[in-house]
């Protein structure tokens, strides 16, 4: 399968890339690792007029450690995130999530910025970013802005980035008591449901993958959690949830998975 | 419109023009006639198209040739030297790690990288390391045995 023909642009800076996006007036897509976009283009589910390949912009790579947070360049691959000692120790949920995405070859190409900007509700990183209360930095013709995870994910494959903005980095607060647990049936498959738990003493932030058109907070679990009652609190994981039924699972089964996985994620987070 | 690229494949530099939508796997198979790299699923799942791009295992059906401009690519044709099979190829041969052989080039390319990262993997680590490569014949048992044999340096 071969994608529909497109114009190919190779900017050498973020400013160039933004200008090229503007030139194509919303008909261009940003290419990072390409492991969501290229498969969609091969299936002709996407047929952009132009690809802006940001893969050679060196400033978009790398991991920066600060006392309270870790900043990760958008082009940093899942393999690099999974292998970074600073992330494994400071934000273990992110390291384990990156290590479980796709497979070895996919992790060598897929990027953190690409996964988050693609906002697939079955992707692992959006829920993890939401549970962490992380944020993304976007740059566009009007400058740079920071978007909290809670404001970033809008709907199925949709973020609050505007078409002429590029996600340049992701910032996550350090959270040592954090874990992500997902369930799927086959190797390298998308999560049917995933649960991200970030525990701070007697409070927790919980977010779920695969139960709606975007990652959702499990507010009822957060309200019930008292720092030790993992099983009781996790029982509320499906409260108010309207999980979809599809070929992978029924909504009812997803609700069951949510309760089980939230409990496991809370237990794993607290054991760290 | 074609775009100029220079891609080194198995140590030989190729300066040529490619359409931007040309996938790396098609560049290898159709422009260079290196047909050892296979197209299996064409949907980024099966791993039959696995090659090394600047030393990392990647699925060449999900990389544009223009993205590989300036890079070094190694294909299954490039892992053996002087007509001698690579130890991983020999291990697949000797432990019957294949039946139809379609997935084998990708398996070998991924398995060599698996052992580079983890020279003495457990069976579970081998299975997890080869998650990106699908085989419809073997049930994986002899593939795992092949990687184990290559890791131990013991061949039959």
């Amino acid at each position: 399968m071969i994608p529909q023909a497109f114009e190919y642009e190779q900017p050498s800076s973020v400013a160039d890339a933004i200008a090229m996006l503007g030139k194509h007036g919303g008909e261009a897509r940003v290419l990072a690792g390409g492991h969501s976009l290229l498969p969609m283009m091969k299936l002709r589910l996407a047929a952009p007029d132009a690809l802006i390949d940001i893969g050679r912009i060196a400033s978009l790579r790398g991991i920066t450690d600060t006392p309270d947070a870790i900043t990760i360049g958008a082009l940093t691959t899942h393999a690099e995130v999974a292998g970074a000692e600073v992330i494994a120790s400071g934000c273990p949920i992110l390291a384990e999530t990156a290590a479980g995405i796709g497979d070895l070859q996919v992790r060598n190409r897929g990027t953190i910025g690409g996964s988050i900007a693609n906002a697939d509700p079955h992707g692992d990183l959006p829920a993890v970013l939401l549970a962490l209360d992380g944020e993304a930095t976007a740059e566009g013709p009007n400058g740079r802005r920071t978007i909290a995870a809670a404001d970033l994910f809008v709907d199925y494959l949709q973020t609050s980035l505007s078409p002429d903005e590029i996600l340049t980095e992701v910032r996550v607060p350090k959270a040592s008591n954090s874990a992500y647990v997902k369930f799927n049936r086959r190797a390298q498959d998308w999560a049917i449901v995933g649960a991200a738990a970030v525990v701070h003493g007697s409070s927790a932030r919980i977010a779920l993958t695969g139960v709606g058109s975007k990652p959702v907070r499990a507010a009822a679990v957060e309200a019930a959690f008292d720092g030790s009652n993992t099983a009781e609190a996790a029982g509320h994981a499906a409260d108010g949830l309207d999980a979809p039924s599809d070929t992978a699972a029924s909504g009812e089964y997803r609700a069951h998975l949510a309760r089980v996985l939230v409990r496991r994620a809370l237990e794993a987070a607290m054991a760290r | 419109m074609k775009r100029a690229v220079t891609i080194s494949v198995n140590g030989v530099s190729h300066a040529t023009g490619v359409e931007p939508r040309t996938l790396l796997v098609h560049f290898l198979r159709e422009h260079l006639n290196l047909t050892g790299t296979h197209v299996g699923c064409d949907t980024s799942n099966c791993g039959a198209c696995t090659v090394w791009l600047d030393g990392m295992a990647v699925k060449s059906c999900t990389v544009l040739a223009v993205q590989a401009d300036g890079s070094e690519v190694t294909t299954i044709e490039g892992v053996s030297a002087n007509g001698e099979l690579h130890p991983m190829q020999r291990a697949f041969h000797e432990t019957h790690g294949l039946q139809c052989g379609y997935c084998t080039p990708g398996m070998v390319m991924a398995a060599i990288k698996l052992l580079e990262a983890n020279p003495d993997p457990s069976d579970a680590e081998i299975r997890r390391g080869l998650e990106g490569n699908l085989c419809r014949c073997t049930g994986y048992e002899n593939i795992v045995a092949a990687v184990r044999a290559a890791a131990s340096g013991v061949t039959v």
Side-chain angles (χ1 to χ4, degrees), chain B residues 106-131:
Chain B
M107 284 283 179
V108 168
M109 299 307 280
I112 294 172
K113 287 295 158 190
L114 191 168
L115 289 195
E116 274 182 24
N118 180 1
D120 185 24
S122 67
D123 283 8
E125 287 169 333
I126 293 170
R127 287 178 184 275
R128 180 156 154 64
L130 294 179
E131 251 186 2

Side-chain angles (χ1 to χ4, degrees), chain A:
Chain A
M1 296 180 295
I2 297 168
Q4 187 171 304
F6 53 84
E7 204 174 321
Y8 177 76
E9 307 261 25
Q10 204 175 74
S12 53
S13 68
V14 172
D16 279 357
I18 293 165
M20 289 168 177
L21 276 175
K23 188 181 89 178
H24 290 281
E27 300 303 318
R29 292 290 299 269
V30 174
L31 178 67
H35 271 52
S36 295
L37 181 56
L38 292 178
M40 287 198 287
M41 289 174 63
K42 288 169 68 178
L43 293 166
R44 308 275 174 132
L45 297 172
D49 287 352
L51 284 189
I52 315 298
D53 180 1
I54 60 172
R56 289 165 202 268
I57 304 177
S59 64
L60 293 178
R61 292 184 187 280
I63 297 165
T64 309
D65 186 23
T66 60
D68 300 323
I70 303 167
T71 303
I72 303 153
L75 283 182
T76 309
T77 64
H78 304 313
E80 289 165 343
V81 171
E85 177 51 38
V86 59
I87 296 176
S89 59
C91 194
I93 185 175
L94 187 58
E96 80 180 333
T97 302
I101 293 173
D103 54 53
L104 176 77
Q105 293 95 317
V106 169
R107 292 191 291 274
N108 280 339
R109 293 291 294 174
T111 67
I112 188 169
S115 281
I116 287 170
N118 194 50
D120 191 312
H122 292 278
D124 302 310
L125 286 169
V128 169
L129 193 68
L130 186 60
L132 280 167
D133 201 14
E135 57 195 29
T137 300
E139 289 188 43
N142 300 320
R144 172 191 291 236
R145 67 185 177 119
T146 300
I147 309 169
D151 302 322
L152 183 61
F153 304 108
V154 174
D155 205 342
Y156 183 73
L157 302 182
Q158 281 181 26
T159 66
S160 54
L161 288 166
S162 61
D164 54 2
E165 282 183 314
I166 293 175
L167 193 161
T168 54
E169 64 187 28
V170 174
R171 186 171 178 276
V172 291
K174 288 188 176 171
S176 49
N177 291 116
S178 60
Y180 182 68
V181 182
K182 67 174 170 178
F183 182 82
N184 58 22
R185 289 201 178 89
R186 299 173 300 194
Q188 64 172 264
D189 218 346
W190 296 91
I192 295 173
V193 174
V198 178
V199 178
H200 295 289
S202 61
S203 71
R205 287 177 62 97
I206 313 283
L208 296 166
T209 297
V211 296
S213 64
K214 60 177 184 174
V216 297
R217 291 270 295 280
V221 180
E222 295 176 3
F225 184 66
D226 66 5
S228 60
N229 61 338
T230 51
E232 191 262 319
H236 295 284
D239 292 7
L241 212 59
D242 185 19
S245 295
D246 57 26
T247 52
S250 67
E252 190 185 1
Y253 183 57
R254 282 198 161 88
H256 168 72
L257 283 177
R259 288 187 287 265
V260 173
L261 298 178
V262 165
R263 175 175 55 76
R264 290 181 187 169
L266 278 170
E267 288 169 355
M270 292 165 69
R272 288 211 156 109

